[in-house]
Amino acid sequence: MSTRYEDGMKVRRSVLGDAHVDRAEASKSAFDEPFQSMITEGAWGTLWADDTIAKRERSMLTLALLAATGNFEEIPMHVRATANTGASPQDVLQAFMHVAVYAGVPKANHAIKLAKQTYAEMGVTL
């Protein structure tokens, strides 16, 4: 294991939580192991491990980019991660409002719907 992989796994666990990472690791196969290693080293061990900006801001950027590019499947996971990164529901809403202006109201609307559902599942009162 490389240091970047080990660092990435620590950051991944701190952001997404042990339960999520344990499920992902348990479902990993020989087929997708290279992909899982790449995202652990690249996304988590390089990008998310960099302390230039706080995890709160990284959460907001990630959610906005996911919504703006229409990659809605990961929005609930990253909304749940805000419990660990410090991004508040109001922060998330502001990120999606930026999406509305710069990438389109339908994308922001769908992202807000997903966030509301996820917060409800988390027991967060909005």
Side-chain angles (χ1 to χ4, degrees):
M1 296 284 155
S2 71
T3 302
R4 189 173 295 155
Y5 182 89
E6 291 170 3
D7 292 345
M9 192 56 76
K10 287 177 192 172
V11 173
R12 187 178 174 197
R13 286 183 179 282
S14 76
V15 172
L16 300 178
D18 288 330
H20 174 86
V21 176
D22 289 345
R23 282 190 306 274
E25 287 294 296
S27 68
K28 183 169 64 175
S29 69
F31 175 73
D32 67 340
E33 191 281 328
F35 174 76
Q36 292 295 322
S37 292
M38 180 191 70
I39 62 171
T40 300
E41 291 178 2
W44 298 106
T46 301
L47 185 66
W48 277 84
D50 185 293
D51 63 359
T52 303
I53 61 174
K55 287 182 176 62
R56 172 183 171 263
E57 285 74 25
R58 288 198 192 281
S59 278
M60 294 165 62
L61 285 167
T62 300
L63 284 162
L65 287 165
L66 288 170
T69 57
N71 290 297
F72 298 110
E73 288 181 12
E74 292 202 358
I75 286 178
M77 174 182 69
H78 280 281
V79 168
R80 285 189 295 275
T82 63
N84 299 324
T85 65
S88 70
Q90 294 77 21
D91 293 333
V92 171
L93 178 61
Q94 286 299 313
F96 292 150
M97 288 175 70
H98 272 70
V99 170
V101 170
Y102 293 102
V105 169
K107 288 179 179 175
N109 188 43
H110 189 62
I112 290 168
K113 176 184 172 184
L114 293 170
K116 286 172 62 175
Q117 289 171 347
T118 305
Y119 282 129
E121 292 166 6
M122 294 169 64
V124 175
T125 303
L126 300 176

